[in-house]
Amino acid sequence: MAYVTIRIKGVEGYTRTALSKDRMVLGRASTNDLPVKHTSISREHCAFQREGETWYIEDLGSANGTWVGKVKVNGRSALAEKNVVKAGRARLTFHAGALNDAEAAVEVGGGDGGDDDDGMPAGPARSRAANEPPEAIACEACAAWFSIAHRLAGDSMPCPRCGAMAKIPVLA
């Protein structure tokens, strides 16, 4: 089963998510299959769609467009291993292998995958207000840190390393 590594430009960390259905919609709305909470993402931005053994990315009429590398997606485009899909400030690296093979994948640390300048600063993330949730949490099962910057408070997600479910904290 294919998966994507999701990074937000200018934010430390990443999340890996399995493409568990034949069509998965990415967008800012929490009802999407791949919710990414960022103002540069449309409510329903793009969709990953599988036909046979081939995965495609389809722009859903997003305001900022969807790109594969430096090529804008008009309609839909076939994906290959390690293609970087750009949706607003989100960078999604497509992997055709199983999520269990994630440790064998290329580390997605500091680089931004050959980004072109989109007019947004690529430096360190802005300082956070006292009432904002953290951008990363430690897994209670394996103690690995992972990004929650693009998730909504109260959501649950699996740890990218061990798969244990973690709840995104809600600040009072």
Side-chain angles (χ1 to χ4, degrees), residues 3 33 50 54 64 67 73 83 100 104 138 152:
Y3 68 97
D33 303 304
R50 181 177 55 169
T54 305
N64 291 327
W67 304 73
V73 175
N83 275 161
N100 295 342
L152 299 172

Side-chain angles (χ1 to χ4, degrees), residues 7-168:
R7 296 171 287 134
I8 304 296
K9 194 171 175 186
V11 176
E12 291 291 323
Y14 58 88
T15 302
R16 290 188 171 125
T17 302
L19 296 175
S20 57
K21 300 188 312 189
D22 287 340
R23 180 177 169 87
M24 295 188 68
V25 176
L26 175 134
R28 192 175 67 238
S30 61
T31 56
N32 288 315
D33 303 304
L34 299 166
V36 178
K37 182 186 169 190
H38 197 276
T39 57
S40 67
I41 306 290
S42 296
R43 284 185 197 100
E44 289 188 346
H45 198 100
C46 61
F48 289 87
Q49 185 168 348
R50 181 177 55 169
E51 289 184 14
E53 296 298 314
T54 305
W55 280 92
Y56 296 89
I57 187 71
E58 176 185 2
D59 184 72
L60 300 177
S62 63
N64 291 327
T66 302
W67 304 73
V68 176
K70 294 186 181 210
V71 178
K72 187 171 185 177
V73 175
N74 293 315
R76 68 182 195 158
S77 178
L79 292 171
E81 178 68 20
K82 297 182 186 167
N83 275 161
V84 176
V85 175
K86 300 174 191 175
R89 290 189 65 161
R91 302 298 182 259
L92 301 100
T93 305
F94 173 78
H95 300 280
L99 184 57
N100 295 342
D101 299 335
E103 295 305 319
V106 172
E107 184 59 37
V108 185
D112 58 1
D115 263 353
D116 51 347
D117 184 15
D118 60 5
M120 298 183 188
R126 63 176 175 74
S127 59
R128 307 187 64 72
N131 63 345
E132 286 187 85
E135 291 182 352
I137 60 172
C139 174
E140 292 181 11
C142 70
W145 283 84
F146 58 95
S147 173
I148 60 167
H150 58 282
R151 300 293 179 150
L152 299 172
D155 283 352
S156 293
M157 67 178 287
C159 168
R161 177 177 287 163
C162 72
M165 292 304 289
K167 187 164 183 161
I168 308 308

